[in-house]
Amino acid sequence: EEAIDQLVSEIPNFSQTEFYQKATTAFFKIQDAWQKQNLSAVRQFISDGIYQRFEAQFIMMRALEQSNAVGDIDVEDLRIVAVENDSHFHIIHLSITASMTDDFVSKKYSELNSGGYETFTEYWTFVKKINATGTSNLVDATNCPNCGDSIENKLGEISKCPSCGTQINNGEYDWILSEITQAEEFASNFNQLKNIILKVVI
């Protein structure tokens, strides 16, 4: 914890409390976007890699006529488990332990149906440019952080403002959710995550 506190202290204007609040809001919004199979409300703060992976999963779910309803969501624990600073980005790995009801239903293939109440831990990786000057809160943003025009329901495969062409999710304006890793994968993949994350964001 002391080592992490030292690294966090090197991030300008960083508030751990505000970061946890932002991550919690992001978590709830991602769950809602997932069950609606619609990323428009979260597009401004997720990486292109996450967007593409989710969209690929949505295509498969629609082919199966499958829905995934979640509810009774409770975020039980948030914890920064690792911090990296390189020449381009501040990188924060955050563990999130949560519980929820999680029900998969396929109208086409009932044998795929499953569900119940579960508790799980995921690792969410956030990145922000080292020299970022923006102070926006992209998690709740409905306007472009550069020109101020509305971006609500206007961002698609590329997270660019339709008015000024600014790439909103490049880490210049706020922390960007760049990777979601399951607990069983995190330990084995941790040493490789840094290179993967940077390739996804840049």
Side-chain angles (χ1 to χ4, degrees):
E1 290 185 0
E2 290 181 2
I4 288 173
D5 289 343
Q6 176 60 37
L7 288 169
V8 166
S9 71
E10 297 174 6
I11 303 175
N13 303 316
F14 182 81
S15 165
Q16 192 163 316
T17 300
E18 290 179 4
F19 182 79
Y20 283 165
Q21 291 172 343
K22 185 173 295 187
T24 300
T25 302
F27 184 83
F28 278 91
K29 287 196 169 187
I30 288 287
Q31 305 313 314
D32 188 54
W34 171 261
Q35 70 174 346
K36 290 178 178 176
Q37 298 183 26
N38 185 341
L39 298 173
S40 60
V42 300
R43 185 64 184 102
Q44 69 277 9
F45 68 85
I46 64 173
S47 69
D48 294 349
I50 286 183
Y51 175 85
Q52 292 160 6
R53 186 164 67 250
F54 274 35
E55 283 294 323
Q57 290 173 298
F58 292 159
I59 290 171
M60 181 179 68
M61 291 171 70
R62 289 167 191 147
L64 298 173
E65 298 182 23
Q66 186 181 51
S67 61
N68 182 197
V70 298
D72 298 324
I73 303 171
D74 180 28
V75 175
E76 299 177 359
D77 185 66
L78 292 175
R79 191 167 309 197
I80 295 174
V81 296
V83 180
E84 301 173 69
N85 299 327
D86 65 13
S87 58
H88 299 287
F89 290 94
H90 296 294
I91 305 167
I92 291 180
H93 304 289
L94 178 75
S95 72
I96 301 179
T97 299
S99 56
M100 66 177 68
T101 57
D102 188 9
D103 297 309
F104 278 93
V105 176
S106 172
K107 295 180 180 178
K108 199 170 185 179
Y109 302 103
S110 60
E111 62 269 25
L112 297 177
N113 294 352
S114 65
Y117 192 80
E118 63 174 358
T119 299
F120 60 92
T121 297
E122 293 179 337
Y123 291 84
W124 286 30
T125 300
F126 291 84
V127 300
K128 189 176 184 180
K129 285 187 176 179
I130 291 286
N131 297 319
T133 57
T135 57
S136 299
N137 179 9
L138 290 183
V139 170
D140 293 319
T142 56
N143 297 90
C144 172
N146 181 54
C147 71
D149 282 359
S150 174
I151 55 172
E152 192 169 11
N153 299 319
K154 295 180 180 178
L155 304 179
E157 184 174 359
I158 305 299
S159 184
K160 284 189 175 181
C161 173
S163 298
C164 68
T166 294
Q167 184 178 349
I168 296 170
N169 68 336
N170 65 359
E172 178 65 40
Y173 300 98
D174 196 9
W175 291 97
I176 300 300
L177 177 60
S178 137
E179 189 63 67
I180 299 175
T181 310
Q182 301 306 308
E184 60 271 17
E185 300 173 6
F186 184 79
S188 60
N189 292 345
F190 180 74
N191 289 333
Q192 303 174 33
L193 270 178
K194 184 176 179 179
N195 289 333
I196 294 172
I197 293 159
L198 294 181
K199 287 179 182 178
V200 167
V201 174
I202 294 175

